[in-house]
Amino acid sequence: MKTIETAAQYEEIKNTKKAIFVFSADWCPDCRFIQPFLPEIEQTFSEYEFYYVDRDQLLEVCQQENVFGIPSFIAYDNGKELGRFVSRDRKTKEEVERFIGGLS
């Protein structure tokens, strides 16, 4: 999974790729809970590019996207939002797969 470094990079990828952004932080226990199964999810849904957005490094992006709880997922296809799984609740592998599988 690639890491978003700047708000400008986030906007560029959001508007030009089929991508899923994973909003997270190193200190977040629920975020660490999902880390072991994220590589498998990336392989299963290889039509998307996955990007890590560090909540603490890119707080302005989180505010702009109304991401106030982590871990959260937002999917875009060339600037069009396909869906979001945004909450502060712990997410299971099955919930994440169901979310991605239900994107149009």
Side-chain angles (χ1 to χ4, degrees):
M1 183 176 309
K2 300 171 192 128
T3 299
I4 298 294
E5 303 291 338
T6 66
Q9 181 189 24
Y10 176 83
E11 286 298 319
E12 179 184 337
I13 291 168
K14 171 178 134 175
N15 289 309
T16 61
K17 298 192 182 287
K18 190 171 186 179
I20 295 179
F21 297 95
V22 181
F23 292 81
S24 188
D26 291 339
W27 52 263
C28 165
D30 290 338
C31 301
R32 284 198 302 269
F33 175 80
I34 67 171
Q35 284 177 340
F37 58 77
L38 283 177
E40 186 180 332
I41 288 175
E42 284 185 77
Q43 286 182 336
T44 301
F45 298 98
S46 59
E47 66 271 25
Y48 295 95
E49 291 186 37
F50 286 76
Y51 294 90
Y52 175 84
V53 180
D54 187 297
R55 178 216 171 271
D56 295 334
Q57 299 298 316
L58 294 169
L59 193 54
E60 71 274 12
V61 171
C62 292
Q63 291 170 337
Q64 166 194 321
E65 292 287 0
N66 292 314
V67 173
F68 299 108
I70 53 175
S72 289
F73 298 80
I74 301 180
Y76 280 97
D77 187 359
N78 293 302
K80 178 180 183 264
E81 185 176 318
L82 300 177
R84 54 178 54 216
F85 189 12
V86 175
S87 72
R88 69 178 107 186
D89 299 331
R90 177 173 282 188
K91 288 145 184 80
T92 66
K93 179 180 179 204
E94 293 74 24
E95 288 172 326
V96 174
E97 289 175 333
R98 198 169 30 252
F99 160 69
I100 297 171
L103 296 172
S104 48

